[in-house]
Amino acid sequence: MNASTMVFYILSAVILGGALLSVTAKKIFRAAVFLLFSLIGIAGLYFYLNYEFIAAVQIVVYVGGIVVLIIFSIFLTHESGRDMKEPSMISNLFAVFACCFAAALTYLFIKEEHFNATPNPTLEPSARNIGTQMLDITRYGYILPFEAVSILLLAAMIGCIVIAIKLKPKE
Amino acid sequence: MNSEFLILMKQEMGVTLILFILLFLKIWDGIKENGILLHLINVLLLLNFLLGFVLNQNGELFNGMFATNSLRVMEKSVLNLGTLIISLQAYDYLKSHKHLLEFFMLLLSTLLGMFFMISSNNLLMFYLGIELSSIPLAAMANFDMDKIKSSEAAVKMILSSAFASALMLFGISFLYGTSGTLNFQELVSLITGSPLQVFALLLVFSGFAFKLSAVPFHLWTADVYEGAPVAVTSYLSVISKAAIVFVTLSSLAPLFSHLNEMWYHLLFVTIILTITLGNIFAIRQDNIKRFLAFSSISQVGFILLGISSGTATGATSAIYFLVVYIFSNLGAFGVIALLSSQTGKENISDLKGFYQTNPLMGWVLAISLFSLGGIPPTAGFFGKMFLVTAGAAKGNYVLITIAALNMVISLYYYLRVVKAIFMDKNETPVEPLRGSLSLRLALLICMIGVVGTGFAGGFFEHIYQLAAK
């Protein structure tokens, strides 16, 4: 086992351990913090694969944004200090079954699949290349999805404002 | 590129343009009268609908991320017409609404999403189109700001559509992982039926079934339909469903054409469950919006029956049925919208003796229900007939028998409403309703559609010509 494989297994242990602790934690706030570890582990996996840009996005969006949002909403809505209800024996049992089944299924899929696909086009995944491609209108440019996403964000903002805004009652 | 780009994307451009006009109208805040704004919007929507008839051209843009042909242009025109009818029907509801312009901005962004989805030739654009067409809809379901049920509908909608998107995205990532491409044409030959790809088919199909509210992914439908304002409910049940069916026909089914055995088995189970459970639940409903929700679930089963044949005739009959379904469902929803906005009543029992006070509206509702039930001479009869005939081409008579039995069951509950309208005695029937001119115009269009589409024999042929290409 060389160093690279070791790093991979350590990262996997962090991801899976974080995920397992997150679902078994008694306090919901702790569950959110364990989720954080799992997500950082995934970012590490991207670094390991030399996808620096995606790793950075993973940290900024998931670790920095979404987990913070989850923690905020836990503080706003839930009594974060209190222990959660103990799940029943039956649901524990089925959870274990589901996990074993999923693991077996995943193993079978990976065993059967050869994964000889090469991404088309093969490009250096640097931030500069990604940025250029995103606004490129020539071959393999992604300007259309980029614009569609902007409309989606505009619509989402309008929707949020309409729902959240409180109009002053007219006299 | 350049001018070609404007012509090929004309309908998308039209919708975006209207979206921005509305945005600037909102910022300018010059027109205070909601009625004038609504008429202006309807004229814009009409122009956008007419745009579908000029400068039609086939082609691809952005390296195959966007592709269009005459069939896709026609499908978009159908959606445009449906949106226009809904906008006309919503006149009474929106006239006093504070967020009229936002309503249309969200509506048009979902329409744009559907257009992108229909024209997508690439999994990325397709996924973005689906998101664009479902996230703003959740905000629209919340437009009855002071009703708790409306908020509940919005929350249920956003959660279920997030779940559906997650499933679909999981499937898409498997497809990309095994093939290395997102382009539909390249994917078709690379989908060979390895276990991972079969699993991907299952996941993508589940996502679609969620959006179509096919059983067993239908649980959100009734609550969302009941809680959302009638205009949004009709949009959900007609336009967004039609868009998903169009995409299934033009992209999903061809994409998995190498796995057609699997595809047929999936559809087989879904169809039987969808038609039967939709019907059984529809019998028990008293709230008319819930009733129409379950009836629309069962209608989706019939549409899938047409799709399952996998031929151009099947595709044509599904598109034809959807056009008829848009007219008949919107006819029913138009009357319900009027009833709900003027009296606040939404139950079938409130419709007892409806004919005594509102003979015209009673007829409109009855004809729409006849068409939904598939009673001749309405177009619904021809639609159902074509669908079942196309489905029978595979020679699977179990499926056809179950579908035919369910058509009989569905007649029972449609006619139960018609009986309430015409025959049931009621001491205090609903007072005479007075619809606005635009609502009546919309209902007139629907009635012409329901009766006319059935007799305009060339229409089916026309769609067939486009679909067979």
Side-chain angles (χ1 to χ4, degrees):
Chain A
M1 191 185 278
N2 55 17
S4 171
T5 333
M6 289 270 283
V7 173
F8 175 77
Y9 280 114
I10 292 170
L11 282 173
S12 310
V14 171
I15 295 169
L16 290 177
L20 195 66
L21 286 170
S22 170
V23 286
T24 50
K26 290 276 180 299
K27 290 187 170 58
I28 191 157
F29 179 73
R30 282 191 192 166
V33 175
F34 286 127
L35 182 68
L36 191 74
F37 282 113
S38 185
L39 291 171
I40 290 176
I42 292 173
L45 209 55
Y46 288 134
F47 273 121
Y48 172 77
L49 293 168
N50 286 328
Y51 287 121
E52 282 88 5
F53 183 75
I54 300 182
V57 170
Q58 169 82 11
I59 288 178
V60 171
V61 175
Y62 284 91
V63 182
I66 292 185
V67 172
V68 171
L69 208 65
I70 292 176
I71 290 176
F72 258 117
S73 45
I74 289 172
F75 280 140
L76 285 175
T77 56
H78 199 277
E79 294 171 53
S80 51
R82 198 189 285 173
D83 278 7
M84 281 188 290
K85 218 170 59 189
E86 192 77 27
S88 69
M89 201 57 212
I90 298 282
S91 51
N92 272 338
L93 196 69
F94 276 102
V96 171
F97 271 140
C99 288
C100 294
F101 179 71
L105 196 69
T106 316
Y107 175 73
L108 277 178
F109 283 151
I110 293 172
K111 201 170 140 252
E112 290 288 316
E113 189 68 47
H114 302 297
F115 292 109
N116 44 12
T118 44
N120 184 20
T122 35
L123 253 186
E124 181 78 8
S126 66
R128 168 192 284 271
N129 274 342
I130 292 171
T132 330
Q133 265 206 315
M134 212 181 278
L135 296 173
D136 196 357
I137 55 166
T138 54
R139 197 155 165 69
Y140 302 120
Y142 285 88
I143 185 80
L144 186 66
F146 186 79
E147 293 297 326
V149 171
S150 359
I151 302 253
L152 174 60
L153 285 178
L154 174 72
M157 275 198 292
I158 293 172
C160 292
I161 292 169
V162 171
I163 291 173
I165 203 165
K166 289 266 188 297
L167 291 179
K168 277 183 213 150
K170 285 198 181 107
E171 275 134 46
Chain B
M1 268 335 225
N2 308 334
S3 67
E4 187 202 11
F5 151 79
L6 281 175
I7 291 171
L8 288 178
M9 291 183 84
K10 56 181 175 158
Q11 282 158 314
E12 286 77 10
M13 289 289 167
V15 171
T16 319
L17 191 67
I18 301 176
L19 187 70
F20 278 94
I21 292 176
L22 298 186
L23 195 62
F24 287 122
L25 277 178
K26 181 74 193 177
I27 296 166
W28 177 46
D29 202 20
I31 306 174
K32 303 279 184 199
E33 194 66 44
N34 266 0
I36 298 173
L37 274 177
L38 272 165
H39 289 309
L40 177 71
I41 291 168
N42 287 337
V43 170
L44 288 173
L45 287 175
L46 179 67
L47 287 177
N48 193 39
F49 168 61
L50 294 176
L51 206 57
F53 295 96
V54 290
L55 294 172
N56 281 340
Q57 211 173 322
N58 298 356
E60 271 192 6
L61 285 174
F62 301 102
N63 311 302
M65 277 200 196
F66 181 93
T68 186
N69 55 36
S70 347
L71 181 67
R72 290 179 178 180
V73 169
M74 195 215 79
E75 290 170 346
K76 289 177 198 168
S77 293
V78 170
L79 298 185
N80 268 333
L81 179 63
T83 311
L84 176 63
I85 296 176
I86 289 172
S87 157
L88 286 170
Q89 285 180 349
Y91 185 86
D92 297 84
Y93 166 68
L94 288 173
K95 210 178 160 198
S96 51
H97 204 288
K98 278 175 287 195
H99 299 297
L100 162 77
L101 283 168
E102 286 89 337
F103 181 87
F104 279 100
M105 281 185 236
L106 293 173
L107 186 89
L108 288 169
S109 53
T110 62
L111 193 65
L112 184 69
M114 290 167 200
F115 285 2
F116 276 137
M117 187 161 84
I118 290 174
S119 268
S120 68
N121 206 11
N122 177 297
L123 281 170
L124 178 64
M125 270 322 282
F126 159 75
Y127 175 70
L128 281 177
I130 280 216
E131 287 296 288
L132 186 53
S133 67
S134 57
I135 292 178
L137 261 179
M140 281 166 68
N142 198 22
F143 256 65
D144 273 343
M145 301 293 173
D146 40 2
K147 279 191 196 155
I148 194 91
K149 270 206 161 168
S150 183
S151 309
E152 184 193 326
V155 171
K156 280 188 178 159
M157 168 120 201
I158 194 110
L159 287 179
S160 64
S161 72
F163 190 58
S165 301
L167 285 180
M168 200 182 294
L169 206 54
F170 204 25
I172 290 176
S173 68
F174 283 154
L175 286 182
Y176 184 61
T178 53
S179 69
T181 179
L182 289 169
N183 188 296
F184 284 162
Q185 268 92 42
E186 293 171 23
L187 263 173
V188 173
S189 55
L190 290 169
I191 294 180
T192 48
S194 68
L196 206 54
Q197 285 175 340
V198 173
F199 191 49
L201 164 67
L202 197 67
L203 289 170
V204 174
F205 184 80
S206 310
F208 265 83
F210 248 111
K211 306 273 173 188
L212 275 175
S213 58
V215 180
F217 305 101
H218 65 292
L219 294 163
W220 58 280
T221 320
D223 291 337
V224 173
Y225 280 24
E226 188 188 356
V230 183
V232 180
T233 307
S234 49
Y235 189 79
L236 265 173
S237 81
V238 173
I239 307 294
S240 72
K241 229 163 243 185
I244 296 283
V245 174
F246 290 151
V247 177
T248 313
L249 284 171
S250 63
S251 311
L252 193 67
L255 186 63
F256 291 104
S257 54
H258 287 293
L259 306 177
N260 48 13
E261 192 94 337
M262 272 291 297
W263 173 249
Y264 187 73
H265 289 313
L266 267 180
L267 278 177
F268 178 73
V269 177
T270 318
I271 289 166
I272 291 182
L273 284 176
T274 307
I275 298 184
T276 316
L277 285 180
N279 269 343
I280 290 173
F281 281 105
I283 292 176
R284 301 175 39 195
Q285 303 305 322
D286 189 43
N287 180 295
I288 196 145
K289 276 152 92 186
R290 282 185 90 86
F291 163 76
L292 284 172
F294 283 109
S295 102
S296 81
I297 290 177
S298 129
Q299 306 276 4
V300 162
F302 282 100
I303 296 172
L304 290 176
L305 179 65
I307 295 176
S308 75
S309 79
T311 56
T313 323
T316 313
S317 54
I319 296 173
Y320 177 84
F321 182 79
L322 270 171
V323 175
V324 176
Y325 172 71
I326 286 179
F327 287 129
S328 14
N329 226 11
L330 286 183
F333 270 116
V335 179
I336 308 302
L338 184 63
L339 183 72
S340 151
S341 74
Q342 297 208 345
T343 63
K345 291 175 179 169
E346 285 181 353
N347 286 334
I348 294 176
S349 46
D350 296 327
L351 284 174
K352 280 181 184 164
F354 189 64
Y355 181 70
Q356 298 162 22
T357 45
N358 296 287
L360 203 62
M361 289 296 166
W363 271 114
V364 171
L365 190 53
I367 292 175
S368 308
L369 292 172
F370 280 151
S371 179
L372 286 173
I375 297 173
T378 55
F381 164 73
F382 298 104
K384 281 249 168 83
M385 192 182 74
F386 291 144
L387 281 177
V388 175
T389 321
K394 278 258 176 187
N396 189 338
Y397 293 108
V398 180
L399 191 60
I400 300 304
T401 316
I402 292 176
L405 283 177
N406 272 294
M407 275 172 83
V408 180
I409 301 177
S410 74
L411 279 184
Y412 164 75
Y413 59 75
Y414 287 123
L415 292 182
R416 189 170 65 110
V417 182
V418 175
K419 174 173 167 281
I421 298 170
F422 286 97
M423 295 175 190
D424 285 358
K425 293 280 175 289
N426 192 350
E427 295 299 308
T428 52
V430 187
E431 63 266 32
L433 304 170
R434 296 201 328 169
S436 61
L437 194 64
S438 49
L439 177 86
R440 279 184 268 167
L441 180 66
L443 289 179
L444 181 70
I445 300 174
C446 290
M447 286 305 104
I448 293 174
V450 166
V451 183
T453 340
F455 288 110
F459 186 55
F460 188 85
E461 275 300 306
H462 176 64
I463 304 175
Y464 185 79
Q465 297 283 324
L466 296 179
K469 255 180 227 169

